Amino acid sequence: MVEPSIANALPHFVPLAIFPLVVCAAMYGGWWIVGPFVFFMLAGQFDRAFGLEERNMDPATTRESQLFLYKLSLWLWAAFWPVTFVFSLWQMLAAGHLSLWEVGLMAAVLTTVAQTVFIVGHELVHRRALWERRLGEFLLASVSYPHYATEHVYIHHPRVCTPLDPGSAPKGVSFWQYLPAEVANNLLGAWRFERRRLTRRHLPLWHYTNAFWRYAVEIAAWYGLIFWLGGPWAALLYLVLCGSVVFSMKISNYVQHYGLRRIRMPTGRFEPVKPRHAWSAAYKFTNWLYYNMQRHADHHTSNRRYPLLQHHGEAASPQLPGSYMQMNGLALFPKPWFETIDPLLDRQRAQFYSEIDDWSAYDSRAFAERPDAFDVIAEIHAAAPRLAGWINRWPRLLDTLREREFTDLELPEGFLSDPESESIARSGLARLYWTHELSISEMKDQLADIPVQDAGEAVEAALEWSNAKVFQVAVHTMRRSLSVSEAGMALSRIAEASIATVLSAVEEDFADRGVPHTSGGVAVAVLGPLVGGQAMPGTELDVRFVYDGGPARYYEALCRRFRKALRALSRNNLLLAPVPRGGIGELSALEAFRERLRNSGSSDELVALARARCVFVSGDGEIADRFTTALRDALGGSTAREALTAELREAAASEVELDLLSVADMPGGLRDLERAALALQWAPGSDASDTLNGDPASVFRAAGTRGVIAEDAAERLAEAATLWRNLHGSLRLIADDGFTVDAATSTAKTAIADACGVDDFGALAATIRDTASRAAADIDALAQEPRRAHGPAR
């Protein structure tokens, strides 16, 4: 233990030695300016020379009267600073004996010394004596930051190491990312606190007890003094100097709590503040120089005066590898800072919170923006990395989970007698709503209720509406209230409703231009999974425009606007992949479209068109029927069958290679199954009404029932199609673009396996390999014996 004594108090007078050095530098300039810089540069050498101080003064046995010398050193610093500061500014701005470069160096000297303003001011604003708190405010006002007295005591301290405190930087956030929000929130947070305090007392905001009146007077006094000394340029220099001091103080704030988090308890409250929630250092000279600032961990667990602050070792508080001064300098360079501090932070978390394996929710931006939604944030981070990316990019998505549309489908825990019954009831509600009640027409009606004035606003409204619906569907799927196939159906409807609404608004805008009346119309068809009941996040928007009538230039101009609106709709869209400029389909006359289909030798385009759906018609409504008829005529022809059969034979010759992320393209995968299903649909004698049906599992089962292929092969192919669809959909809903099996959480793996109907994720690889091999063999048989598609199975 350290006993309070004159000898032990004298080292804390060391900071006062800077003032004569600053006075001499201001009076004489030249080489005298080097003195203050040398003083601070030697601190690191003195730290190595004096070593560490891990002993503590006993606060239980130390009387307040024994701390007089310690307090005196602090009071003297507070008294000397304003005098020295004003004297130096007088020499710099009014005396006229310093050259321009000497004035610049003196500004740097004052900035360096003024860093201690926050340390001394901080110590004083925590005291119970009113005169000490006012003195602390006055010191903080000298660097234009008096509101720190309110923000630090009433916001930072109770909320430290939680997302409610902008001064506690999350892991992975650099100082440069942290700085702007911290400075802004200091001022806004202090103002909001004063407003709430006055409201509680039923006093108006402009009441004289509002601390901001004092802050304004103090700042005005300092700037008035500077202006009197040197005019407007002096005030500008003073503003820059104050900004530099605040900047240096924010570095220290950043270092003190970087990455440290108080865990959220089941009650919804955060755990009490403990020494583990601030970084500590025990360098003796730096603690003398900065009044035990490095014992910040104890400062947050007590309101002791600085000499009584306790040093907490590694067993209680994480230790910095260097002094605060050294770490402050390192924090300016994000890469080496993260390389140095993040491993220590991970060690701290493992040491104090061994029960927590995943800290991503605590470190997330979503938690910082919506701390009251921690439970769902943690659930999403554990189970669905893609959704976690969404909420971290757009935390406002979490607000959609509070809407009645979502909450009415979420039965409370304990609603029924057992969890299994609750799960069944919850799933039933979600499935009923998303697959039956919320039809495309109902979705369009919801969009129509949103007031907009032009196509641009319609795009914004449809984008926000679509993202909210997509996120809700994804969360239901993550919680297994919706299956992947049900989610795909709901997402396809969302896509069609939003696209049709935007195109309708574009058409209305175009009509307002007074365009001459035209004959005919244009059909807008969307291709691919977006309209086949298999839409998933990141699906590319593939569109065809087919017109009949004239003049052609009218439809060309209209479709240019359609393309522009659809590109805008795809930006920041959770369902649609961004469409590059010029990346949306071309415009064709109906007759030219028919001719192109008849002469097409590419199975890729024919397969894509097989799942085309007309989602919007401008002008003559019958253009949609003529478009569909043209497709059926082309897809039922021999050219399409021959191209598809040739591709199936080529695919059958490939070897099966397991790749979880590209299972759709592997032999026997989803791509081959879709083509095999189409080959059966396009066979002579097939039902023409099914030509545009893109559900492979249904096609295979129907073909087996009619005897077109063997029933056992039909069932194997249907099961493979279902597995691929569920696997592809779960990966698109759960996994992010950088998904790897090794890095995936156990919860995410379980969700993927469950969606695929497999009990264990470890067994999924074998299931995929066996299913692909069997499917490839069945497709090979189908491709090599096309006659089996022409009559009953033997």
Side-chain angles (χ1 to χ4, degrees), residues 171-234:
K171 182 183 180 182
V173 173
S174 72
F175 169 72
W176 303 103
Q177 294 170 310
Y178 160 89
L179 180 64
E182 161 70 348
V183 172
N185 281 300
N186 276 185
L187 181 59
L188 294 175
W191 175 258
R192 293 186 187 116
F193 174 82
E194 288 295 330
R195 184 174 59 192
R196 288 194 301 270
R197 184 180 64 82
L198 291 168
T199 300
R200 286 196 304 267
R201 298 180 179 183
H202 305 288
L203 296 174
L205 187 60
W206 56 86
H207 195 264
Y208 72 91
T209 57
N210 188 333
F212 274 80
W213 286 118
R214 294 197 310 273
Y215 302 156
V217 170
E218 291 164 352
I219 290 179
W222 276 104
Y223 275 90
L225 173 64
I226 302 305
F227 186 86
W228 175 73
L229 288 175
W233 288 108

Side-chain angles (χ1 to χ4, degrees), residues 736-757:
D736 56 12
D737 293 334
F739 176 84
T740 60
V741 174
D742 294 338
T745 64
S746 59
T747 309
K749 291 179 181 179
T750 300
I752 294 171
D754 185 73
C756 296

Side-chain angles (χ1 to χ4, degrees), residues 246-432:
V246 172
F247 177 85
S248 66
M249 182 271 289
K250 292 305 175 186
I251 302 175
S252 182
N253 279 11
Y254 172 80
V255 169
Q256 287 168 344
H257 302 287
Y258 169 79
L260 303 175
R261 281 291 180 259
R262 291 155 60 189
I263 62 171
R264 195 170 180 272
M265 299 184 295
T267 60
R269 296 172 61 84
F270 292 98
E271 65 172 316
V273 182
K274 299 177 181 178
R276 68 185 65 165
H277 297 125
W279 292 94
S280 296
Y283 293 92
K284 185 179 293 186
F285 185 80
T286 299
N287 272 337
W288 289 341
L289 189 62
Y290 292 125
Y291 300 101
N292 279 344
M293 175 181 66
Q294 297 173 130
R295 297 188 171 189
H296 197 67
D298 191 61
H299 167 69
H300 272 278
T301 60
S302 68
N303 193 31
R304 301 185 181 109
R305 290 188 180 272
Y306 81 89
L308 295 177
L309 291 177
Q310 308 291 290
H311 168 74
H312 295 280
E314 290 185 359
S317 176
Q319 305 295 305
L320 290 170
S323 69
Y324 268 27
M325 292 177 66
Q326 293 171 322
M327 302 311 295
N328 287 0
L330 184 65
L332 295 173
F333 305 95
K335 185 177 180 180
W337 165 258
F338 292 142
E339 290 174 350
T340 301
I341 205 71
D342 282 356
L344 300 178
L345 177 60
D346 293 338
R347 187 188 309 166
Q348 183 264 0
R349 290 175 169 181
Q351 175 184 352
F352 295 108
Y353 303 101
S354 57
E355 72 280 6
I356 300 178
D357 296 325
D358 183 9
W359 285 87
S360 60
Y362 282 99
D363 296 330
S364 67
R365 183 188 168 201
F367 186 36
E369 295 285 338
R370 298 291 192 276
D372 53 336
F374 175 77
D375 290 337
V376 68
I377 293 170
E379 177 190 9
I380 289 172
H381 270 265
R386 183 175 298 277
L387 273 63
W390 290 353
I391 61 175
N392 286 327
R393 189 174 180 185
W394 300 291
R396 63 181 180 274
L397 285 172
L398 292 166
D399 298 337
T400 66
L401 304 185
R402 299 176 179 175
E403 297 175 359
R404 286 196 60 183
E405 181 182 38
F406 187 85
T407 58
D408 283 356
L409 306 180
E410 289 287 296
L411 294 176
E413 297 291 339
F415 180 78
L416 296 177
S417 57
D418 61 278
E420 184 177 359
S421 299
E422 284 183 5
S423 176
I424 294 172
R426 193 176 290 113
S427 298
L429 285 174
R431 288 170 178 167
L432 178 65

Side-chain angles (χ1 to χ4, degrees), residues 598-654:
R598 283 195 293 266
N599 298 323
S600 175
S602 169
S603 65
D604 288 338
E605 183 172 12
L606 293 173
V607 170
L609 289 169
R611 290 192 297 179
R613 177 183 175 88
C614 185
V615 297
F616 183 78
V617 171
S618 176
D620 182 6
E622 295 182 359
I623 181 66
D625 295 333
R626 295 196 293 272
F627 170 79
T628 302
T629 300
L631 279 180
R632 284 176 175 162
D633 291 344
L635 298 177
S638 59
T639 302
R641 292 198 307 273
E642 291 171 1
L644 197 58
T645 302
E647 184 173 325
L648 285 174
R649 291 194 186 107
E650 182 180 344
S654 305

Side-chain angles (χ1 to χ4, degrees), residues 73-88:
S73 67
L74 192 81
W75 295 337
L76 288 175
W77 201 100
F80 288 160
W81 163 251
V83 176
T84 305
F85 189 36
V86 172
F87 175 80
S88 299

Side-chain angles (χ1 to χ4, degrees), residues 531-544:
V531 290
Q534 295 111 21
M536 284 295 152
T539 302
E540 294 183 357
L541 180 59
D542 191 1
V543 182
R544 297 290 187 276

Side-chain angles (χ1 to χ4, degrees), residues 639-705:
T639 302
R641 292 198 307 273
E642 291 171 1
L644 197 58
T645 302
E647 184 173 325
L648 285 174
R649 291 194 186 107
E650 182 180 344
S654 305
E655 295 184 2
V656 175
E657 295 182 4
L658 179 61
D659 185 354
L660 184 64
L661 298 181
S662 61
V663 69
D665 298 325
M666 67 190 297
L670 184 59
R671 183 175 182 273
D672 290 350
L673 286 170
E674 288 176 342
R675 282 158 171 72
L678 287 173
L680 291 171
Q681 289 177 281
W682 297 349
S686 63
D687 188 353
S689 64
D690 290 338
T691 303
L692 302 181
N693 181 0
D695 180 6
S698 300
V699 172
F700 290 132
R701 289 194 171 98
T705 300

